[in-house]
């Protein structure tokens, strides 16, 4: 510790323990094999600035590192200073794809968390990139009810390997509707950009037609929510009868 009335510095290291993030994640207590960072903070004229230049973490689900700069709102006092403005940049070295939803903030919305939790069923993540920047009260910076897009960045670029992905999870369908096939052996990049989701430059196979290979798959969901719209384009290669069956589905 090194601190006085204007700020301070602290080195934090956690081995084989847990940390709590109330109001940030759905399961606020997260276990870590290692959790290490330096924390610098400054207080001036009632405003607070906090910097974590290199936060490193690892557990059974994920390994990565991020840098965080956060400050209270300018020209605000008391409780009105919060939740403040953050600039987070990070890299996920490796992770289990199906566990990634545990590390997404509650602020992206219940509908988005439910969709991601049901859609991403398995797979490996390597060298994903994360950038969140802006007013934390507006994350993930989707358009508001008036159609206005607030300033800010909420973007995850997530390379997937050997993943299983359900574009239209069963919970979104009526009981009378025919289930959508899942994508299996999926290799590509999953992109969260504000409240949209895309899969880019992907290959894989459909669960109902294992002999049909998928190339140059591009999929886009413009807004994660109740009224889900999925755009899908791909090149298919395989037996004619199975290929026709996929297109008819």
């Amino acid at each position: 510790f090194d601190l006085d009335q204007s700020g301070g510095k602290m080195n934090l290291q956690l081995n084989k323990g847990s940390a709590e993030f109330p109001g940030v994640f759905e399961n606020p207590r997260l276990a870590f094999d290692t959790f290490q960072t330096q924390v610098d903070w400054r207080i001036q004229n009632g405003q607070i600035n906090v910097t974590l230049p290199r936060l490193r973490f690892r557990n059974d689900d994920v390994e990565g590192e991020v840098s965080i700069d956060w400050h209270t709102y300018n020209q605000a006092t008391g409780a009105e200073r919060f939740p403040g403005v953050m600039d987070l940049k990070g890299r996920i070295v490796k992770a289990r794809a199906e566990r990634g939803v545990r590390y997404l903030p509650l602020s992206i919305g219940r509908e988005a968390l439910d969709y991601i939790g049901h859609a991403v069923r398995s797979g490996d993540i390597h060298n994903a990139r994360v950038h969140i920047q802006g007013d934390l009260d507006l994350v993930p910076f989707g358009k508001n009810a008036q159609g206005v897009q607030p300033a800010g960045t909420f973007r995850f670029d997530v390379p997937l390997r050997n993943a299983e992905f359900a574009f239209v999870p069963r919970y979104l369908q009526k009981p009378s509707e025919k289930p959508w096939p899942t994508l299996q052996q999926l290799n590509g990049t999953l992109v969260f950009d504000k409240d949209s989701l895309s899969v880019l430059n992907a290959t894989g196979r459909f669960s109902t037609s294992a002999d049909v290979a998928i190339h140059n798959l591009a999929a886009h969901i413009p807004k994660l929510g109740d009224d889900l719209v999925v755009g899908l384009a791909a090149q298919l290669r395989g037996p004619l009868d199975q290929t026709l069956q996929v297109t008819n589905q």
Side-chain angles (χ1 to χ4, degrees):
F1 287 94
D2 180 12
L3 58 92
D4 57 31
Q5 68 273 15
S6 64
K9 179 183 296 186
M10 176 179 65
N11 290 314
L12 175 64
Q13 182 165 336
L14 176 69
N15 295 312
K16 296 294 183 180
S18 62
E20 289 201 19
F21 304 87
V24 178
F25 303 116
E26 185 168 21
N27 297 308
R29 181 184 290 271
L30 299 177
F32 292 97
D33 294 327
T34 60
F35 186 91
Q36 182 178 4
T37 187
Q38 176 180 307
V39 184
D40 301 316
W41 69 93
R42 302 185 311 279
I43 304 173
Q44 185 175 12
N45 298 324
Q47 302 305 306
I48 306 170
N49 292 267
V50 179
T51 301
L52 286 69
R54 188 184 184 193
L55 190 161
R56 293 181 291 174
F57 51 90
R58 177 172 58 85
N59 61 20
D60 290 340
D61 296 334
V62 62
E63 177 182 352
E65 61 181 44
V66 298
S67 65
I68 301 173
D69 289 298
W70 172 88
H71 64 82
T72 50
Y73 296 130
N74 296 325
Q75 300 178 345
T77 59
E80 294 180 355
R81 297 175 297 171
F82 303 97
V85 178
M86 183 177 72
D87 188 358
L88 180 151
K89 298 182 178 74
R91 180 172 72 99
I92 306 302
V93 177
K94 60 181 179 179
R96 295 167 56 191
E98 72 275 15
R99 303 288 281 177
V101 69
R102 297 188 65 195
Y103 303 90
L104 292 175
L106 289 169
S107 54
I108 72 172
R110 180 73 265 160
E111 295 89 352
L113 289 171
D114 286 344
Y115 177 80
I116 296 163
H118 285 85
V120 184
R121 298 187 175 182
S122 65
D124 298 318
I125 295 171
H126 294 274
N127 293 316
R129 296 288 177 176
V130 181
H131 187 196
I132 303 173
Q133 190 278 324
D135 185 342
L136 290 175
D137 205 31
L138 300 176
V139 171
F141 310 110
K143 292 182 180 179
N144 61 23
Q146 290 73 41
V148 177
Q149 185 95 57
T153 301
F154 183 88
R155 186 176 175 97
F156 289 65
D157 291 86
V158 184
L160 291 174
R161 295 182 185 174
N162 197 30
E164 181 180 5
F165 193 91
F167 275 107
V168 182
R170 189 64 179 148
Y171 83 98
L172 288 175
Q173 296 185 285
K174 297 177 181 178
S176 59
E177 292 180 320
K178 188 176 181 180
W180 275 49
T182 62
L183 287 170
Q184 299 182 337
Q185 302 175 37
L186 179 68
N187 295 288
T189 301
L190 183 68
V191 178
F192 297 96
D193 189 4
K194 297 183 170 64
D195 56 356
S196 71
L197 181 148
S198 301
V199 176
L200 306 175
N201 303 318
T203 61
R205 297 180 185 275
F206 284 110
S207 58
T208 54
S209 305
D211 294 332
V212 177
I214 306 168
H215 300 277
N216 299 322
L217 171 68
H220 183 62
I221 299 173
K223 181 176 177 60
L224 291 168
D226 291 331
D227 298 323
L228 197 69
V229 177
V230 181
L232 184 65
Q235 294 178 355
L236 305 180
R237 182 177 300 167
L240 180 60
D241 58 337
Q242 292 189 34
T243 302
L244 292 174
Q245 179 185 0
V246 169
T247 58
N248 289 332
Q249 289 174 335

